[in-house]
Amino acid sequence: MFKSWRSDKKQIKVVFQLQFQATQVPRLKKSAVTIALVPENVGKPTMRLEKVAVQDGSCLWENPVYETMKLIREPKTGKLSAKIYHFVVSNGSSKAGFLGEASIDFADFAAETEPVTVFLPLKFANSGAILHLHCHLVVKIHGDPQVTIQKIEGAADQRYHGESEGLTISRDGSLQSQDNNYSVHENDQISQQ
């Protein structure tokens, strides 16, 4: 008689470490560029990286950024729904400073355990610039965090604080959550606190 409001779709919470570099950047009036991360389902920038100087046609953002997102696994097909992000590269000024845009579907990288580097030619401005994205899956939480947590190797020396998730990867390589009272240690064992 009544339909359940609860969806049968399985949610997977992931944290990606992203490192950016742009090459073949043309000469600009302003010698610094920035990147805006725009999730397709939001439609406006959720994060802007700091401006970085262009040197010899390339620029590197030295500080990685961490992006938390929820991926949805379709129950019938078992495939992840698309999670498309657009990366808008510009010098921060008007349309004249627009270098281009590149897009990527993070659902394609949810199964990767090793860091992946993707070369994305910038579209819509004919600048010829290429965005290099170094993508590393740091944390993957399936459904109920107390059931399955997977800490990806290589994340031990990084620190991440989610906005409302309360996730922390500490210097010793353990993943901790303040709200769910669980911890994942270096040997990937889950312990209740």
Side-chain angles (χ1 to χ4, degrees):
M1 182 166 152
F2 293 103
K3 286 190 175 184
S4 172
W5 288 99
R6 185 180 164 116
S7 175
D8 290 336
K9 297 177 181 178
K10 301 286 184 189
Q11 286 191 1
I12 301 170
K13 186 181 291 185
V14 293
V15 178
F16 284 102
Q17 176 189 16
L18 307 174
Q19 183 92 34
F20 295 95
Q21 179 181 6
T23 57
Q24 300 179 14
V25 178
R27 290 191 179 270
L28 302 168
K29 290 180 182 177
K30 293 184 180 180
S31 63
V33 295
T34 185
I35 299 177
L37 278 67
V38 183
E40 188 170 83
N41 61 339
V42 176
K44 60 182 180 179
T46 56
M47 180 183 301
R48 290 188 194 274
L49 278 64
E50 73 276 2
K51 284 190 176 184
V52 175
V54 178
Q55 297 176 349
D56 298 327
S58 68
C59 49
L60 172 68
W61 285 263
E62 293 186 11
N63 298 326
V65 294
Y66 294 88
E67 186 67 19
T68 302
M69 59 189 76
K70 291 182 183 176
L71 302 175
I72 298 175
R73 184 176 303 279
E74 297 293 333
K76 291 182 181 179
T77 63
K79 293 184 179 181
L80 292 173
S81 297
K83 191 68 168 186
I84 298 174
Y85 272 62
H86 304 283
F87 305 109
V88 179
V89 183
S90 68
N91 67 5
S93 64
S94 64
K95 291 182 181 180
F98 179 71
L99 281 176
E101 177 181 315
S103 301
I104 196 166
D105 184 359
F106 279 104
D108 295 339
F109 300 98
E112 297 292 331
T113 57
E114 296 294 320
V116 176
T117 300
V118 183
F119 303 94
L120 304 166
L122 297 181
K123 304 176 195 172
F124 308 123
N126 297 326
S127 66
I130 298 174
L131 183 65
H132 303 253
L133 170 64
H134 184 76
C135 181
H136 185 193
L137 178 63
V138 180
V139 178
K140 184 188 285 189
I141 302 174
H142 300 273
D144 181 12
Q146 295 180 349
V147 176
T148 308
I149 300 172
Q150 182 180 2
K151 182 182 75 65
I152 308 302
E153 293 302 317
D157 58 352
Q158 301 297 327
R159 187 164 184 85
Y160 169 77
H161 290 287
E163 293 174 9
S164 61
E165 293 84 13
L167 294 175
T168 303
I169 299 171
S170 62
R171 294 279 179 211
D172 66 354
S174 64
L175 170 71
Q176 299 173 347
S177 172
Q178 289 77 29
D179 23 336
N180 292 323
N181 297 325
Y182 63 85
S183 177
V184 178
H185 300 285
E186 195 63 42
N187 56 3
D188 292 333
Q189 293 179 343
I190 299 174
S191 64
Q192 295 288 329
Q193 295 177 340

